[in-house]
Amino acid sequence: MMKKLDNCTIQNSKIVLNEKIVFETQTENFSDFAKEAYKNVELNYPKFHKMDNLSKLAFLASEMLMKNNDHSKTALVFANKSSSLDTDFKYQESINSQEHYFPSPAVFVYTLPNICVGEISIRHKLQTENAFFVLDEFDEEFLNSYAAQILQSGKAEKVLCGWVELYQESYKAFVYLLTL
């Protein structure tokens, strides 16, 4: 039987950790919210500022659960609906831009949704399983079933599961930590 250890929700300019608001602002723009949240929760990871918005969302939510702890044996299983569509549009705009002669490689890096789990893995030196699924809607049963297989195989001691959806200014992250 799996146990849910902790959870974090980010939406509507608010970070909620285990049902308690830990950060809230009036900022409606996600980029501004992410900058304020980064400062407020005292993260020290300069690469954060170069990430796309989907990666920032996943990173912030993950940090709330993994910050200052050894999670080297934690696997990641995330999902969303829009994949990396928000960044894909920005990349297309960089191709169409009259200002540049070539598309931006800094944006191209983030045109896959699984890059956000890569950013989290780098931060926490994870060498475990990770997956990013594109689903029509949040399916906790599916994510938990996948996580259970990883835990039962012994490939990880914990699994950070979650829904990290971001498209334009609409965003929601719900992540939770599971163990046996």
Side-chain angles (χ1 to χ4, degrees):
M1 183 65 128
M2 289 190 304
K3 292 183 277 188
K4 193 180 284 187
L5 301 174
D6 294 302
N7 67 76
C8 176
T9 302
I10 299 177
Q11 68 179 353
N12 303 325
S13 302
K14 202 181 300 180
I15 299 176
V16 179
L17 178 62
N18 297 323
E19 315 311 317
K20 179 183 173 202
I21 297 172
V22 294
F23 176 73
E24 184 174 17
T25 183
Q26 299 303 313
T27 304
E28 292 183 23
N29 173 284
F30 178 79
S31 293
D32 293 339
F33 165 77
K35 287 177 197 169
E36 287 182 41
Y38 175 87
K39 288 177 190 172
N40 185 272
V41 297
E42 299 176 353
L43 296 177
N44 183 21
Y45 194 67
K47 260 183 84 174
F48 177 84
H49 303 290
K50 294 181 180 182
M51 293 180 195
D52 74 320
N53 284 340
L54 178 63
S55 294
K56 286 179 180 179
L57 178 62
F59 190 87
L60 282 170
S62 299
E63 281 301 295
M64 298 310 298
L65 302 180
M66 299 174 76
K67 186 177 166 183
N68 302 325
N69 293 312
D70 176 17
H71 284 279
S72 58
K73 295 184 180 176
T74 300
L76 303 172
V77 179
F78 284 11
N80 77 4
K81 181 176 181 168
S82 299
S83 186
S84 58
L85 194 56
D86 187 69
T87 302
D88 295 347
F89 277 125
K90 288 179 178 131
Y91 182 66
Q92 185 62 45
E93 286 173 1
S94 80
I95 291 171
N96 297 341
S97 173
Q98 297 293 331
E99 299 171 24
H100 304 288
Y101 295 107
F102 54 90
S104 172
V107 176
F108 176 74
V109 169
Y110 293 97
T111 56
L112 294 172
N114 64 333
I115 295 302
C116 65
V117 295
E119 294 285 5
I120 297 162
S121 295
I122 291 167
R123 164 74 163 166
H124 293 282
K125 299 175 178 62
L126 304 181
Q127 296 180 4
T128 53
E129 300 289 316
N130 69 64
F132 196 109
F133 297 97
V134 178
L135 307 171
D136 285 334
E137 59 188 20
F138 176 58
D139 186 345
E140 189 170 4
E141 186 178 318
F142 172 78
L143 295 178
N144 290 354
S145 174
Y146 196 89
Q149 291 176 32
I150 293 171
L151 291 168
Q152 290 164 358
S153 75
K155 293 180 181 178
E157 294 173 358
K158 298 175 192 165
V159 179
L160 183 65
C161 293
W163 180 260
V164 287
E165 173 63 20
L166 182 135
Y167 181 67
Q168 296 175 340
E169 288 305 315
S170 176
Y171 63 93
K172 179 178 183 177
F174 174 68
V175 298
Y176 53 98
L177 203 51
L178 294 174
T179 190
L180 287 178

